[in-house]
Amino acid sequence: MKKNERANLSASYNDLIASITNPRITIIGTYRVESVVGEGSFGKVYLAVHLLTNTKVVLKSSSRREAVILAREIHHHRRLLHPNITRLYEVICAEDRIYLAMEYCPNGELYEFVSRQEALTEKKACKLFWQLCCAIKYLHTQGCVHRDLKLENIFLDKNFDIKIGDFGFSRDTDCSRRTFMSTRCGTVAYCAPEIVLGQKYIGECADIWSLGIIMYAMLVGRLPFDEDDTSLTEHKIINEQPFIPETISPNATDLLIRLLRKDYRFRPSIDQIISHPFFRDNRYHFSSIKDVTISTKADDKVRRRLELVGVDIGQLNLSISEKRCDLLYGWWLLLLEKETKKENKKIHLFYLQHSKGKSSSFHIPPSSPSLETAEVSVTSNNSKFNNSSRSYPGQSTGNLLSTFKSWLLDSKSKHTSRTASPSFDTVSTSSKCSKNSKILRKKNSFDSTSSKNGSDYKRPFNSVSSTEAIVVPRKSPIVQQSCPSTDPHYRRSKPKEEEKQSLSVSPTSEKNTSENFQSPASVSEGSLISTSLPNISNRLSNCRGCNLSQLSSVNSSKSSLTRSYSNLSSTSSASLVSIVSSRPSTGSGTRPTSYHHPIDRLHKSFQFSGGDSNNTRVNATAIFTIGAARRIAPTSSSLMYNNQNFVQEEDEPEESFTSDSSRHFSDIF
Ligand SMILES: Nc1ncnc2c1ncn2[C@@H]1O[C@H](COP(=O)(O)OP(=O)(O)OP(=O)(O)O)[C@@H](O)[C@H]1O
């Protein structure tokens, strides 16, 4: 061997050794890690690229110690397929870490977006809030409540459309009747009064309250109840009405007041919110809400392609129908997204071509999804994909990955060259929001000195306070304005003469008198809800060409290619063990410096007797509560806080997890 050949050989050996001993992770499963985009409560959040589809995703890493808590998040998140909810593609279990591969939202948190602009214009806020409400409507219809809705858990995708994330506090509810819950969870500034008071609460109503806080923050640029002292914040949540500046339009004011009603029984349902004039006047209509469906054409295409590259179709079908979030499921879902985007583009182009020259009041709903997906089952297709494999044209020798890519992504797909990755050890996001952070503060940290001893401000909701019930109608008959004269936080507007006359202090006056706006049915414990969900397909047919799925009907073949899978969903709500785990949302790598509470600090703040830093406790009723030190070891009745997120152990059983679905996540446990 020549001298230089030997040198080359030894150099390549050295490279190999360096690469396999490099402590920095570069490949996780089928993902190439690019950079760190944030830091969650349990670990770093990486930007990564799915190598088989060349799609950007985020990989949220957690220690295996958090497996039980993660199981809840995964259990809820994997069954949610909505254009305004981040998608969970895959769960990767490595030796000591678990990674969740999720939809990447390059425009970051809504918190940053709002902070940067101080307050959003009403048009912008309406668009975002509409999308948020559509997602919550879907969530609630799926029998799930979020329980930690806040600006920091809402992300913006590349089109600045809303994507709800972080389902760590979610739980199942029975959407046919109101389920009372008692786990105190969430983030104080976004918490409904009934939760702050330690009462049993209805998850949906608590979510609606949080929607009110988010809407307020978007329009006003700060949180309505937000003090340095948590107990003061709580006091205000329970007793004070939000100050609503005069710049806010009457419709927006009216909706805000309804959402932030102290008594949950008088808060509107999500359907009532969506029908509110605030949206209607901005041209968002209930009727434009699409039934979340998956394109059969795209699905069939993707499955066929996967079959052609040698994927065991039986295994694939199983992964999809059980939403296993394994490699095959993630691959399928990512490809499906691409395929559906392509299909939607075609439909859009088709529409544009055919509507040329026609006057158009056409309004594409802002929640136009990047993918119209829904509950998916494969059962109907099994036989089809069990056919003997076909030969695939254009097979080429060479690198497996590139072959897969060319097969799967069409030759058009471009492989973007990448710039050097920043270090994984530093969070690359800037603290650009800190200049406004005095106005709108990130709510993931908590001053643990706060306590619940302020019983003096507790008051039962059956006695509606005068501040709560005073309603000042404004110009529009629709508008009601709470305006106790004594409260400096109240909106300072001079009531007109006739408005003064109609000042009312009766709690029933809180029920609206709005035109075209239904009064919420009062709900008593255990009563049935009559949420008569509207017949969406009827509505769609009445809606004039205003959404993409409808546009598809213009295309003669499209209507037959769209189906709803929701009834076929086989996602089991069953899982492993009865879990009581409410994860306080604490860490975030992107929070402004002044409000950054590093995970380390939180770990130090909560050391529990017994010295178990993982704070693992299994009680006699086989209820597991596992968490890192930042999680609170709950006593059955005590309330403990953790950086403004708080958790209280539930009295009532949470979702019960059976061994059936445990096999999907058996690796975790
Ligand atoms: N889908 C996403 N797209 C882009 N960035 C994301 C996404 N998910 C998370 N991030 C980034 O990672 C950070 C932490 O993520 P996330 O808030 O979901 O973690 P967490 O563990 O739930 O934290 P917390 O408990 O503080 O809410 C976010 O602040 C954001 O910057």
Side-chain angles (χ1 to χ4, degrees):
M1 197 182 280
K2 282 177 193 164
K3 207 174 175 184
N4 58 343
E5 275 180 2
R6 212 177 301 152
N8 282 346
L9 188 61
S10 100
S12 75
Y13 266 125
N14 287 338
D15 285 349
L16 185 60
I17 292 165
S19 73
I20 62 177
T21 55
N22 190 343
R24 261 183 207 169
I25 322 158
T26 49
I27 300 286
I28 297 168
T30 47
Y31 301 87
R32 183 182 62 238
V33 178
E34 301 264 297
S35 60
V36 173
V37 287
E39 189 145 353
S41 309
F42 300 152
K44 284 179 180 155
V45 179
Y46 300 97
L47 170 63
V49 175
H50 184 243
L51 292 167
L52 304 175
T53 57
N54 206 23
T55 314
K56 283 182 180 171
V57 298
V58 290
L59 287 177
K60 213 167 142 179
S61 87
S62 313
S63 157
R64 266 180 179 261
R65 286 196 299 263
E66 322 289 352
V68 175
I69 298 159
L70 275 178
R72 172 194 286 260
E73 183 166 351
I74 295 163
H75 165 74
H76 291 292
H77 201 167
R78 68 177 166 170
R79 65 190 169 132
L80 301 171
L81 291 167
H82 186 274
N84 299 116
I85 295 177
T86 55
R87 205 147 288 152
L88 176 63
Y89 303 117
E90 195 176 337
V91 179
I92 302 163
C93 302
E95 197 175 336
D96 59 343
R97 299 208 67 80
I98 296 167
Y99 299 91
L100 306 190
M102 294 188 301
E103 187 173 358
Y104 173 53
C105 302
N107 285 309
E109 296 174 359
L110 182 58
Y111 167 81
E112 287 159 9
F113 185 69
V114 175
S115 303
R116 270 198 300 269
Q117 307 185 36
E118 294 194 8
L120 305 185
T121 61
E122 214 155 295
K123 200 172 161 215
K124 240 186 228 174
C126 186
K127 175 198 154 181
L128 296 177
F129 197 58
W130 171 258
Q131 295 181 350
L132 188 56
C133 290
C134 290
I136 295 301
K137 177 176 163 53
Y138 168 81
L139 193 69
H140 288 181
T141 311
Q142 294 293 309
C144 182
V145 286
H146 190 282
R147 299 198 297 180
D148 194 18
L149 288 172
K150 56 179 175 177
L151 294 171
E152 296 87 334
N153 283 341
I154 298 165
F155 300 98
L156 293 168
D157 70 5
K158 69 170 190 253
N159 302 316
F160 286 89
D161 286 333
I162 289 285
K163 301 274 177 182
I164 301 179
D166 202 347
F167 291 85
F169 280 129
S170 300
R171 74 158 277 189
D172 288 325
T173 56
D174 181 350
C175 53
S176 65
R177 70 184 185 88
R178 298 207 159 179
T179 313
F180 280 86
M181 305 170 188
S182 58
T183 299
R184 296 171 61 80
C185 56
T187 303
V188 173
Y190 293 81
C191 262
E194 61 272 21
I195 299 182
V196 173
L197 280 168
Q199 296 169 346
K200 290 209 168 206
Y201 63 92
I202 294 168
E204 287 91 339
C205 299
D207 278 351
I208 301 291
W209 171 277
S210 305
L211 284 180
I213 303 283
I214 291 166
M215 183 184 170
Y216 183 99
M218 286 200 283
L219 291 170
V220 182
R222 64 178 181 81
L223 296 170
F225 312 109
D226 181 26
E227 301 298 323
D228 290 335
D229 180 356
T230 308
S231 40
L232 196 56
T233 304
E234 289 174 351
H235 180 84
K236 289 194 166 181
I237 290 171
I238 295 163
N239 296 299
E240 289 186 11
Q241 295 296 335
F243 163 72
I244 301 178
E246 285 206 308
T247 47
I248 308 296
S249 76
N251 277 340
T253 305
D254 180 66
L255 183 55
L256 273 176
I257 290 171
R258 289 172 193 281
L259 295 172
L260 295 176
R261 280 179 172 149
K262 307 288 184 195
D263 188 335
Y264 70 87
R265 293 171 302 169
F266 298 135
R267 274 173 226 149
S269 70
I270 192 69
D271 284 352
Q272 287 167 332
I273 296 168
I274 283 170
S275 325
H276 192 274
F278 172 63
F279 290 125
R280 226 183 24 226
D281 291 359
N282 283 289
R283 295 172 55 211
Y284 295 94
H285 297 281
F286 206 124
S287 57
S288 69
I289 297 177
K290 283 187 250 180
D291 203 358
V292 186
T293 55
I294 189 168
S295 155
T296 313
K297 190 179 165 191
D299 183 25
D300 287 352
K301 220 173 182 177
V302 169
R303 289 180 202 233
R304 211 167 307 122
R305 280 190 194 159
L306 288 171
E307 188 191 14
L308 288 168
V309 294
V311 167
D312 177 341
I313 206 69
Q315 203 59 41
L316 174 70
N317 291 342
L318 210 61
S319 289
I320 297 170
S321 64
E322 294 184 356
K323 293 192 172 67
R324 289 188 170 187
C325 288
D326 55 10
L327 184 144
L328 291 183
Y329 179 83
W331 196 1
W332 167 80
L333 193 50
L334 283 159
L335 280 173
L336 189 64
E337 269 186 1
K338 285 195 177 249
E339 200 52 51
T340 314
K341 268 182 204 159
K342 257 197 267 173
E343 226 178 56
N344 285 346
K345 248 187 215 165
K346 272 189 214 160
I347 294 164
H348 194 58
L349 277 176
F350 178 89
Y351 178 81
L352 287 178
Q353 281 166 6
H354 285 75
S355 65
K356 256 185 196 166
K358 287 178 198 164
S359 78
S360 170
S361 57
F362 169 69
H363 175 61
I364 297 178
S367 59
S368 297
S370 54
L371 168 62
E372 301 159 70
T373 47
E375 300 298 306
V376 177
S377 167
V378 76
T379 46
S380 58
N381 288 338
N382 280 2
S383 56
K384 193 170 174 180
F385 289 100
N386 284 336
N387 295 340
S388 57
S389 56
R390 289 155 247 187
S391 66
Y392 190 81
Q395 265 181 344
S396 60
T397 52
N399 170 320
L400 179 68
L401 272 184
S402 56
T403 312
F404 273 12
K405 270 185 202 163
S406 59
W407 282 356
L408 295 168
L409 301 176
D410 291 352
S411 50
K412 284 176 223 159
S413 107
K414 286 172 201 148
H415 189 82
T416 47
S417 61
R418 314 222 162 255
T419 50
S421 310
S423 161
F424 299 152
D425 301 324
T426 51
V427 176
S428 58
T429 43
S430 68
S431 57
K432 51 204 166 199
C433 316
S434 52
K435 74 180 163 74
N436 293 319
S437 53
K438 265 186 193 147
I439 304 166
L440 182 63
R441 292 183 293 182
K442 238 183 174 179
K443 291 290 141 197
N444 357 36
S445 54
F446 170 66
D447 171 14
S448 58
T449 53
S450 88
S451 70
K452 284 294 293 168
N453 56 7
S455 54
D456 52 326
Y457 63 75
K458 281 191 184 180
R459 81 186 154 75
F461 277 122
N462 49 16
S463 63
V464 180
S465 76
S466 57
T467 54
E468 189 178 328
I470 294 175
V471 172
V472 182
R474 283 167 52 102
K475 288 165 210 158
S476 152
I478 291 162
V479 182
Q480 295 171 1
Q481 183 186 5
S482 302
C483 185
S485 53
T486 50
D487 187 349
H489 288 277
Y490 262 65
R491 176 179 188 145
R492 281 164 226 107
S493 72
K494 219 174 158 190
K496 285 181 189 169
E497 224 27 60
E498 74 271 19
E499 289 172 344
K500 281 182 194 163
Q501 285 168 14
S502 56
L503 278 173
S504 154
V505 287
S506 105
T508 50
S509 69
E510 216 185 18
K511 290 184 189 172
N512 75 81
T513 53
S514 291
E515 215 182 349
N516 301 323
F517 188 57
Q518 290 172 307
S519 179
S522 73
V523 180
S524 57
E525 290 215 5
S527 71
L528 295 176
I529 319 176
S530 52
T531 45
S532 63
L533 281 174
N535 182 336
I536 293 166
S537 52
N538 282 351
R539 257 187 273 111
L540 275 175
S541 60
N542 294 334
C543 172
R544 187 176 147 269
C546 58
N547 64 46
L548 292 179
S549 75
Q550 237 193 316
L551 294 180
S552 62
S553 64
V554 178
N555 184 335
S556 57
S557 61
K558 178 75 172 76
S559 55
S560 63
L561 297 172
T562 307
R563 71 180 168 203
S564 165
Y565 288 79
S566 47
N567 297 333
L568 301 172
S569 166
S570 64
T571 302
S572 159
S573 62
S575 192
L576 308 169
V577 284
S578 179
I579 298 175
V580 172
S581 58
S582 301
R583 181 165 60 83
S585 323
T586 50
S588 169
T590 55
R591 67 182 54 111
T593 326
S594 49
Y595 296 99
H596 190 144
H597 293 261
I599 300 289
D600 288 347
R601 203 191 105 186
L602 297 171
H603 274 261
K604 273 178 209 146
S605 314
F606 296 96
Q607 291 297 322
F608 296 99
S609 57
D612 177 8
S613 67
N614 292 327
N615 188 25
T616 307
R617 191 175 69 93
V618 181
N619 74 16
T621 54
I623 290 172
F624 286 41
T625 303
I626 301 189
R630 117 196 71 63
R631 283 180 51 72
I632 314 297
T635 55
S636 54
S637 60
S638 67
L639 172 74
M640 293 186 238
Y641 288 92
N642 176 16
N643 280 1
Q644 288 192 7
N645 300 292
F646 50 84
V647 178
Q648 186 186 39
E649 193 157 294
E650 303 228 347
D651 300 332
E652 90 268 33
E654 278 277 346
E655 299 93 337
S656 60
F657 291 80
T658 69
S659 58
D660 179 40
S661 63
S662 68
R663 65 182 192 276
H664 314 156
F665 296 105
S666 55
D667 204 10
I668 304 177
F669 300 96

